[in-house]
Amino acid sequence: MVESSDSNLLNRPEAVIFVLLAALFVLWDTYLGLLDDVEATALSSRQLAQRLGTNPKTIRRRKSQPGFSEWTQQLDPDGIAWVYCSGGVYAPRT
């Protein structure tokens, strides 16, 4: 008897719309959470230079050179390797 009521529930358009909206809300909330995580860890060249104990000009000059991530990892106090991302920010290499 429970099976028939469940299948009837899915035949109601408003129930299907409600489920889709709930799923959309959950996905959107997860997406925003991921964006917050990325923004929280992304650094400008000035911020990364401070963290690495160098100057922003050196960071900007070396960002496109091979071995940039390894170089930043050697200088980083926590051993984090950094990569250049579009938008002029640097993020930890994953």
Side-chain angles (χ1 to χ4, degrees), residues 23-24 37 64-66 89:
L24 184 62
D37 290 346
S64 59
Q65 294 179 353
V89 295

Side-chain angles (χ1 to χ4, degrees), residues 2-91:
V2 173
E3 287 181 26
S4 65
S5 67
D6 286 344
S7 63
N8 287 338
L9 182 64
L10 292 178
N11 288 332
R12 298 182 65 175
E14 63 273 11
V16 173
I17 291 172
F18 177 76
V19 169
L20 289 174
L21 285 175
L24 184 62
F25 175 75
V26 169
L27 288 173
W28 184 255
D29 191 50
T30 303
Y31 172 73
L32 291 177
L34 291 172
L35 282 180
D36 287 343
D37 290 346
V38 169
E39 289 175 3
T41 58
L43 301 177
S44 68
S45 57
R46 182 184 56 79
Q47 292 168 322
L48 183 60
Q50 278 183 323
R51 181 178 176 90
L52 302 181
T54 187
N55 63 55
K57 186 176 180 179
T58 303
I59 298 292
R60 288 189 296 270
R61 187 182 73 237
R62 292 194 67 153
K63 71 182 176 191
S64 59
Q65 294 179 353
F68 176 74
S69 291
E70 292 76 14
W71 175 73
T72 59
Q73 188 172 23
Q74 291 173 355
L75 295 177
D76 189 272
D78 296 324
I80 297 172
W82 295 85
V83 294
Y84 177 71
C85 302
S86 62
V89 295
Y90 302 82

